[in-house]
Amino acid sequence: MSTKAVKLQSELKMGAATRAAFGDALLELARQDERIVVCDADLSKSTMTHKFAQAFPHRFFSCGIAEANMVGVGAGLASAGKIAVVSSFSCFVANKGFEQLRVAVAYPQVKSFKVVGTHSGISIGEDGPSQMAVEDLSLACALPGFVVISPADEVSMKALFRAAVYHDGPVYVRAGRAPAPIVHSPDRAFELGKAVELVPGADVAIVATGLMVAEAIRAAEQLETEGVSARVLDMHTIKPLDREAIHRAAAQTGAVVVAEEHLVDSGLGVRVAQVVAETHPAVMEFVGIQDTYAESGTPAGLLEKYGLVASNVAAAARRALDRKKQG
Amino acid sequence: MTGKKSLEELQALTKTIRRRIVEMTGAAKSGHPGGSLSAVEIVATLFFDVMNHDPQNPHWEDRDRFILSKGHGCPVLYAVMAECGYTPVEQLNTLRKLGSIYQGHPDRRFIPALEASTGSLGQGLSIGLGMALAARLDGKPWRTYVVLGDGEIQEGQIWEAAMFASFHKVDNLVAIVDYNRIQLDGFVKDIMELEPLADKWRSFGWHVVELDGHSIPALREAFAVPAAVKGKPTVVIAHTVKGKGVSFMENNPKWHGVAPSPQEVELALKELA
């Protein structure tokens, strides 16, 4: 396989957190579009909507620590002609606001409603499991009509958040707290529902989302030294899935690994497995959070302990290759 | 825009609406007649006398918004909207049947003129507040009306919304509590007491109006007040009788969620003749 496309680990430059990229993109879009309004539940300094709040105080609605009402208010604003961006930590807005996302947004299909959950996954670090969303993708995918995205870096967040704002339907945007390595070139074009192939490969395909995309690239680099050609797909859109890209990966490599910072039995992995089963059954392995809650620690320490680093992805790829060989 | 009705016309209409509620729920063999009958004057006064709206142009931008947050009371809303001309009167008796636009709870996918899909209690006030804020941002004069059930306001989200409304000084929204004092399992006082109800709303920063929710003149007067109350939201606590207008349904918890039999429909219609 071509080595030119492979970014070496040392070349993955650290970028901004996806929440920061969201905050910047929001401000930029809001300057050009008066319809954009924001609701936040006392976390604007963390979700990064505070920049919008400072620039457009009359279009920012402080909702207090009351996520259910916040989602409803956002649904009302969106129903009356606004583009409502509703933001909090993923675990609060997706869990405490789920019933409202279901009945006030998804069910009547309030199209200009966009929810941005930050501090997703376990990489938030020291605050611990009560603040860690490990099930938000599962919840968001259970909302009919929602598009669900999980950008990997600042480049893709900026482009995909814009696409989300102007998508004709409700969108769930997953953002993270920790700085994210930059995996995309600045000029890359993104489309909702279209995976990006970051590394070409023929032996095994790694389908990753969010922070795990960088780990997948690092794993592919490691595998290459072992003579294994690993394809890496950034599956930034969890719903609707890019069925063609998954079908191609399964058909062309026969071994698919899915990597996500989410409960492994209810996130991207099971959704990809469904498509693989429907299109081209192949050997599969899954990297994600097992049936547990994490704990306090540094982001890096937690990702290591809970099996979400490049070595885990590479090991999963080797298992998949072994099983493929065994037929 | 709908032509506004005289008091006599309105009072005659409330009988028609009540008959249709009885017929619809009877035909459906399920549904919620009690809490529909208690809200007849509230909903009819709003649609026929208070709100600016245009059944020929349901998405007119400057229309007043109405949300039936107590979605199970939808027979009254369907009967009133049909009478306005939004939806066909002749299909009212398809309520709750497969393919009917008259779903078991208000569903905007079936009736796009509905402002919200409701049925999961506690949500309508928040949605209405978002709409009211949009009107304020746009400098529009339209108003938002949200009808709440009394049992419904046991939901915590209502009080999140109540706090939000006064904090944001939302004075272009009126909430109406259909205070019929009965919920599914029995009398409100025995399930989860709400009193002192007016004091609760006042302590949350609302302007409170209490009235007889079956008095059209009182409702008319009350709906004129909020326009004059600046800087705070208004709640109308409408004292009503569950099952109002049908003697055997009045004030009886049984009729929260049970449909009348064909014989009971006949009896009720005689009383409402």
Side-chain angles (χ1 to χ4, degrees):
Chain A
M1 80 182 226
S2 158
T3 55
K4 277 188 289 186
V6 179
K7 296 185 183 184
L8 297 173
Q9 187 169 344
S10 55
E11 289 174 0
L12 278 185
K13 191 181 141 207
M14 190 54 79
T18 48
R19 63 174 167 142
F22 151 65
D24 291 345
L26 172 66
L27 183 61
E28 199 179 308
L29 291 170
R31 286 204 173 104
Q32 294 147 21
D33 194 334
E34 283 195 355
R35 293 173 300 169
I36 295 174
V37 296
V38 173
C39 298
D40 202 289
D42 188 39
L43 287 169
S44 70
K45 288 177 193 160
S46 302
T47 61
M48 299 294 177
T49 60
H50 70 291
K51 292 181 179 177
F52 174 98
Q54 280 160 7
F56 305 104
H58 62 293
R59 285 154 59 188
F60 178 83
F61 299 104
S62 167
C63 294
I65 307 166
E67 295 78 10
N69 178 60
M70 174 174 72
V71 172
V73 167
L77 282 158
S79 298
K82 302 299 172 192
I83 297 171
V85 176
V86 170
S87 188
S88 182
F89 285 11
S90 292
C91 67
F92 302 139
V93 72
N95 290 275
K96 297 189 187 191
F98 184 73
E99 161 66 5
Q100 290 68 27
L101 290 169
R102 178 177 185 268
V103 174
V105 183
Y107 169 40
Q109 280 297 293
V110 179
K111 292 182 172 175
S112 59
F113 181 99
K114 319 294 165 181
V115 53
V116 181
T118 68
H119 295 64
S120 309
I122 64 171
S123 57
I124 71 163
E126 291 78 357
D127 277 343
S130 69
Q131 325 288 301
M132 292 170 172
V134 293
E135 64 284 85
D136 57 312
L137 294 178
S138 168
L139 291 168
C141 287
L143 295 166
F146 259 70
V147 162
V148 179
I149 62 172
S150 167
D153 68 359
E154 62 179 56
V155 176
S156 52
M157 174 56 93
K158 282 181 182 170
L160 288 165
F161 179 66
R162 183 187 179 87
V165 162
Y166 292 109
H167 171 68
D168 189 28
V171 182
Y172 177 82
V173 181
R174 184 185 222 223
R177 171 178 183 261
I182 296 173
V183 297
H184 292 290
S185 57
D187 53 349
R188 189 184 297 283
F190 293 88
E191 196 182 329
L192 292 175
K194 288 277 174 232
V196 176
E197 185 178 293
L198 285 166
V199 183
D203 299 332
V204 59
I206 304 168
V207 179
T209 196
L211 272 189
M212 295 309 291
V213 175
E215 299 305 318
I217 292 169
R218 289 165 179 161
E221 172 202 49
Q222 174 60 42
L223 290 164
E224 196 195 6
T225 65
E226 301 163 20
V228 172
S229 159
R231 179 180 305 185
V232 175
L233 293 178
D234 175 3
M235 195 60 70
H236 53 69
T237 305
I238 312 299
K239 185 182 166 192
L241 273 180
D242 186 341
R243 293 178 64 89
E244 287 72 29
I246 294 167
H247 182 187
R248 268 199 309 279
Q252 292 169 0
T253 69
V256 179
V257 172
V258 185
E260 59 190 315
E261 191 190 358
H262 190 275
L263 285 176
V264 75
D265 54 7
S266 67
L268 176 64
V270 292
R271 291 177 57 76
V272 171
Q274 186 178 23
V275 176
V276 170
E278 286 169 350
T279 58
H280 192 100
V283 170
M284 290 192 74
E285 289 285 334
F286 302 92
V287 176
I289 299 159
Q290 301 305 315
D291 192 27
T292 187
Y293 294 106
E295 62 195 279
S296 292
T298 61
L302 285 165
L303 293 171
E304 181 90 34
K305 178 166 180 178
Y306 288 87
L308 300 177
V309 293
S311 57
N312 305 112
V313 180
R318 289 184 206 107
R319 288 197 303 272
L321 286 164
D322 284 348
R323 286 173 54 207
K324 185 170 79 167
K325 274 179 209 149
Q326 287 159 18
Chain B
M1 304 243 306
T2 46
K4 307 233 164 151
K5 307 277 187 201
S6 70
L7 182 59
E8 294 68 30
E9 287 173 314
L10 261 174
Q11 273 160 345
L13 263 175
T14 58
K15 271 204 172 167
T16 306
I17 302 300
R18 286 203 158 86
R19 281 198 298 275
R20 291 193 178 138
I21 291 168
V22 169
E23 288 169 343
M24 289 166 82
T25 50
K29 299 190 178 67
S30 70
H32 300 81
S36 301
L37 292 166
S38 64
V40 169
E41 282 78 13
I42 297 167
V43 179
T45 303
L46 284 168
F47 273 84
F48 293 119
D49 190 64
V50 175
M51 295 199 303
N52 294 309
H53 63 116
D54 181 0
Q56 302 311 310
N57 186 12
H59 299 295
W60 172 42
E61 273 188 23
D62 291 343
R63 69 192 182 279
D64 289 332
R65 268 63 167 179
F66 176 88
I67 296 173
L68 184 68
S69 191
K70 47 171 281 186
H72 57 280
C74 56
V76 62
L77 179 59
Y78 295 156
V80 167
M81 288 181 76
E83 189 62 32
C84 287
Y86 283 103
T87 52
V89 171
E90 63 276 12
Q91 288 175 24
L92 282 172
N93 289 352
T94 64
L95 175 72
R96 291 175 161 252
K97 297 201 166 79
L98 193 63
S100 172
I101 62 164
Y102 298 117
Q103 293 279 297
H105 290 81
D107 187 335
R108 225 173 62 171
R109 297 173 306 167
F110 289 84
I111 303 179
L114 290 167
E115 303 293 354
S117 295
T118 53
S120 170
L121 295 173
Q123 299 206 27
L125 185 54
S126 306
I127 299 168
L129 287 166
M131 293 175 177
L133 288 172
R136 187 166 82 188
L137 270 179
D138 292 342
K140 298 280 194 171
W142 54 267
R143 308 177 69 78
T144 301
Y145 298 88
V146 181
V147 173
L148 305 167
D150 47 9
E152 174 179 21
I153 66 178
Q154 292 159 354
E155 287 278 4
Q157 188 183 346
I158 292 293
W159 301 101
E160 292 182 4
M163 253 191 288
F164 179 94
S166 55
F167 175 72
H168 286 284
K169 300 183 169 54
V170 182
D171 57 8
N172 55 350
L173 173 140
V174 182
I176 302 102
V177 179
D178 178 8
Y179 200 4
N180 60 37
R181 295 176 188 264
I182 290 175
Q183 56 190 116
L184 189 147
D185 264 348
F187 291 93
V188 171
K189 67 177 170 52
D190 299 323
I191 308 300
M192 182 53 64
E193 177 61 291
L194 297 170
E195 289 297 331
L197 185 57
D199 288 347
K200 283 192 174 73
W201 287 100
R202 276 190 205 104
S203 71
F204 274 75
W206 287 59
H207 176 69
V208 178
V209 179
E210 285 199 79
L211 48 66
D212 170 0
H214 299 302
S215 165
I216 292 169
L219 286 161
R220 277 177 157 173
E221 194 185 321
F223 290 129
V225 170
V229 178
K230 298 291 174 207
K232 53 160 66 177
T234 294
V235 60
V236 174
I237 297 177
H239 295 276
T240 58
V241 174
K242 195 128 177 172
K244 176 74 176 177
V246 178
S247 61
F248 58 88
M249 290 187 181
E250 285 191 2
N251 220 20
N252 181 350
K254 174 192 165 184
W255 295 100
H256 169 85
V258 172
S261 68
Q263 295 76 16
E264 287 163 335
V265 168
E266 208 172 308
L267 272 175
L269 291 179
K270 267 185 201 156
E271 290 187 19
L272 293 165

